[in-house]
Amino acid sequence: MSADNYHKTRERFAGPLAIGGLVAAGLLLLLVLYPEKSLLKLLENPEVSSPAQQRYLEALLHLRNGETELLIPLVRSYLAAGCTEKAAAALSLQRGRLSAEQFKTVMVLQYELRRQELEWVSLDEPGWENAQQNYAAQIEKMHKAGATPQELARYLADARRLGDGITVQKLEALLGSDADTASAEVAAAIALGKGDYRGAAAFCFKGMQVAQADQKRRLFLAGVGALQSGNLVQEALVAAEMNLTSDLAKDRGILKYLVKLSLAANRPDKAQLYVRIALGYSSDVDKARVQP
């Protein structure tokens, strides 16, 4: 029996202290062999999430008292591995002032953290409401910090995929209410994707009010085109002439477009008027107003 027990005993390579010493020696060897900046450059790859990378950055971050240049690659590494709790703990260690670029990067990392936290819970789980509120709050912070309409549109796509209907409604309303051309174009594209042709046109025409000349032309054509794509030709003609400004009425490309639109709407009289305006025989745009 004693002989059997002897053979069953597993031989250990080394004790815990010896293993810890080997790991520490390995990290020390990395520090000796590689310049710190070069090593950090290798560790910045967000796809790398090995435990060795994380241990090195954790140790260095502790020595440097939460230095942002070390914090960013570490949090990226945690998020790449799906370690949301570690990422949240690391972000709480951030100290000191951030440059504009660092601030933006940290905000993006915080967004990814909140997005993952919401992704890991289901609608029927107790933690859903808290995760949803944190996610929405982070988007609000990024909006106040100057997130572009294109960035808000990406957050909207994420919210839809995550099933966060509350955030979806807020972002749609936000994109539709912002008084700038970029927001109008994004909101119109979202409405058009949902089959809301009238809503898409309304966003375009609203954006025209604050647009420059080239942007105004683009929004005008997009708004009328949205109604046409919904086979609302009569409405498209009415909307086109209601939103036709004096500067757009001097654009021959716009006038040719309105001639074709008038013919498509079975209004040859309007088509003839636009031909006359294009040829310079008439400059009275008010006569072209369509009676609904």
Side-chain angles (χ1 to χ4, degrees), residues 241-286:
E241 297 188 335
M242 289 293 294
N243 292 278
L244 183 65
T245 58
S246 58
D247 54 335
L248 291 177
K250 299 175 184 177
D251 188 318
R252 287 203 170 190
I254 293 289
L255 293 172
K256 289 180 181 179
Y257 176 76
L258 291 176
V259 169
K260 294 179 181 179
L261 178 61
S262 299
L263 292 173
N266 197 25
R267 292 297 303 269
D269 56 322
K270 293 298 178 183
Q272 184 179 8
L273 179 57
Y274 284 120
V275 170
R276 288 177 59 82
I277 295 174
L279 294 175
Y281 295 125
S282 174
S283 60
D284 192 353
V285 177
D286 291 333

Side-chain angles (χ1 to χ4, degrees), residues 36-48:
E36 182 178 310
K37 290 185 178 179
S38 299
L39 188 55
L40 285 175
K41 198 168 185 180
L42 294 173
L43 296 172
E44 285 178 357
N45 185 353
E47 301 300 323
V48 177

Side-chain angles (χ1 to χ4, degrees), residues 59-77:
L60 203 54
L61 185 67
H62 180 72
L63 291 173
R64 296 294 183 83
N65 194 28
E67 189 173 309
T68 305
E69 288 185 3
L70 302 172
L71 179 73
I72 288 173
L74 178 60
V75 174
R76 278 180 177 155
S77 177

Side-chain angles (χ1 to χ4, degrees), residues 103-104 107-108 111 138-157 170-172 174-176 178-187 190:
F103 177 77
K104 187 173 182 179
M107 290 283 281
V108 170
Y111 171 80
Q138 183 60 34
I139 291 177
E140 180 63 23
K141 288 180 183 177
M142 300 185 83
H143 174 245
K144 290 181 178 178
T148 65
Q150 290 74 19
E151 289 170 336
L152 293 177
R154 287 198 295 272
Y155 307 152
L156 175 58
K170 288 183 178 179
L171 283 171
E172 287 181 343
L174 185 64
L175 285 166
D178 280 358
D180 61 83
T181 55
S183 296
E185 289 178 321
V186 172
I190 292 170

Side-chain angles (χ1 to χ4, degrees), residues 54 57-59 61-62 65-79 83-96 98 106 109-110 113-114 117:
Q54 293 173 0
L57 288 173
E58 286 168 356
L61 185 67
H62 180 72
N65 194 28
E67 189 173 309
T68 305
E69 288 185 3
L70 302 172
L71 179 73
I72 288 173
L74 178 60
V75 174
R76 278 180 177 155
S77 177
Y78 284 148
L79 292 175
C83 303
T84 55
E85 291 184 2
K86 288 185 176 181
L91 283 169
S92 68
L93 298 175
Q94 195 278 318
R95 299 288 185 273
L98 300 176
V106 170
L109 292 174
Q110 289 173 334
L113 168 64
R114 298 310 183 189
E117 288 177 338

